[in-house]
Amino acid sequence: QVQLVESGGGLVQAGGSLRLSCAASGMPFGSYSMAWFRQAPGKEREFVVAIMRSGTITDYSDSVKGRFTISRDNAKNTVYLQMNSLKPEDTAVYYCAAALRYYGSTAAGYNYWGQGTQVTVSS
């Protein structure tokens, strides 16, 4: 019954912006830390950003720091990823993940995963 559903992906030109959303259901959203990971074709899944359940602590990968911003609205059971100044190398399937404790970049620590949403950045 636990579900994480990503949305907001699409095709955008380099330098453009997108905002991804991850809607959670079937769990006490406010008790979970959340994160975004991404995977490009032929490459390993990589960490993008994580946020503690309170929103106080966040961790960004060096590749997106200064361009992406994570936020959460516990009343709406939703976590967001605002992506600005997009680059072709940002092209990937973006996945939302949830965990009861804060794992940061450690993918193995997350209990629940969404189906992913495709982000494509053209040159």
Side-chain angles (χ1 to χ4, degrees):
Q1 291 186 347
V2 175
Q3 285 191 314
L4 301 176
V5 181
E6 301 95 334
S7 62
L11 175 64
V12 64
Q13 292 185 13
S17 298
L18 285 173
R19 190 178 79 155
L20 306 184
S21 298
C22 173
S25 62
M27 68 179 192
F29 181 78
S31 297
Y32 283 77
S33 295
M34 304 295 296
W36 290 93
F37 291 79
R38 67 187 182 186
Q39 187 167 20
K43 294 191 174 183
E44 297 290 323
R45 177 178 54 188
E46 68 171 336
F47 170 75
V48 179
V49 62
I51 186 168
M52 201 174 189
R53 61 188 179 93
S54 67
T56 301
I57 299 174
T58 56
D59 289 290
Y60 293 85
S61 68
D62 290 339
S63 63
V64 307
K65 191 174 297 182
R67 300 188 297 120
F68 292 10
T69 303
I70 190 171
S71 62
R72 66 189 297 161
D73 187 339
N74 288 351
K76 296 182 178 179
N77 291 356
T78 302
V79 64
Y80 305 95
L81 182 64
Q82 179 67 47
M83 305 185 294
N84 299 325
S85 301
L86 283 162
K87 305 175 181 179
E89 51 263 44
D90 295 318
T91 296
V93 177
Y94 283 71
Y95 297 93
C96 177
L100 275 171
R101 64 175 293 177
Y102 190 66
Y103 283 98
S105 63
T106 306
Y110 293 88
N111 304 103
Y112 304 107
W113 295 81
Q115 84 290 345
T117 186
Q118 177 71 48
V119 172
T120 303
V121 184
S122 62
S123 300

